[in-house]
Amino acid sequence: MLPFTVHPVGDCALLAGFPQRIAPEIGAAVAALNSRVLAAKLPGVTETVPAFASLLVVYDPLVTDYDTLAAALQGLRDADGADTAAGEGRLVTIPVCYGGDFGPDLPFVAKHAGLTEAEVIALHTGREYRIYMLGFLPGFPYLGGLDERLFTPRLNTPRTAIPAGAVGIGGEQTGIYPIASPGGWQLIGRTPRKLFDPESGALPYTAGDRIKFEPITAAEFAALAAKEGTA
């Protein structure tokens, strides 16, 4: 596993920091360390929060302390194991209807890239994306791996309302709005899947997993939305 540094965060958390850049190997290392921490069931650990290049580990200071936990994390790093499964994560397929009312910014993204709308869709659905972290909204996945031809600046003026399931591009990343909210990303499509359940907090993915977008028609969107209860 890649080396990392450990720093205290207040009196009940520590941060394991990897080299500070967005890269597949860094994301895989964060996912692997998170997997090891969860599997080890370290006394006092109450929560882990993976990010682009770090892992926050929250603990109960009445059960453990910073020095004990920092040493345990370094021990997990040095333990044998390739972490292949944790590094790759699960592959989650997300159906998306692109363009039209589902993706009003698809024409702008295509024009900005010098491509047709069909070419943008083909590029967007033609690869897998690692979930580097969840944030901004409950279950909003920040995805790495966007084809650089699709890099598109955010809107100058964010929208005040974006529907749940909207798929967008913001700068060098793509992501999905799991619930209705304001936002400034360029919207290219929408998924009918229910991504976040506020009652259970359940999500179909987590940080470290991979997402593959699958294009669907408007009729398929309607059928799936009715089944998911998102119509």
Side-chain angles (χ1 to χ4, degrees), residues 102-113:
F102 299 102
D105 299 321
L106 180 60
F108 175 80
V109 172
K111 182 178 180 181
H112 183 270

Side-chain angles (χ1 to χ4, degrees), residues 28 31 83-91 128 130 208-210:
D83 298 307
T84 301
E88 292 183 354
R90 297 173 301 156
L91 179 61
E128 299 173 1
R130 173 177 293 281
D209 287 342
R210 295 164 293 139

Side-chain angles (χ1 to χ4, degrees), residues 22-110:
I22 301 175
E25 64 273 16
I26 305 269
V30 173
L33 179 60
N34 185 50
S35 178
R36 290 189 179 194
V37 171
L38 295 176
K41 299 185 182 303
L42 299 174
V45 171
T46 60
E47 183 181 9
T48 61
V49 183
F52 286 108
S54 63
L55 178 68
L56 181 71
V57 181
V58 183
Y59 61 89
D60 183 345
L62 298 179
V63 176
T64 189
D65 56 46
Y66 170 79
D67 290 334
T68 299
L69 199 53
L73 259 65
Q74 294 293 351
L76 291 176
R77 183 199 70 179
D78 298 333
D80 293 334
D83 298 307
T84 301
E88 292 183 354
R90 297 173 301 156
L91 179 61
V92 180
T93 299
I94 301 293
V96 177
C97 188
Y98 288 89
D101 293 338
F102 299 102
D105 299 321
L106 180 60
F108 175 80
V109 172

Side-chain angles (χ1 to χ4, degrees), residues 4-8 14-17 66 69-70 73-74:
F4 55 82
T5 57
V6 179
H7 305 283
L14 59 78
L15 189 72
Y66 170 79
L69 199 53
L73 259 65
Q74 294 293 351

Side-chain angles (χ1 to χ4, degrees), residues 108 153-159 183-186:
F108 175 80
R154 292 168 173 78
L155 298 174
N156 291 327
T157 302
R159 290 181 172 90
W185 288 30
Q186 305 280 355

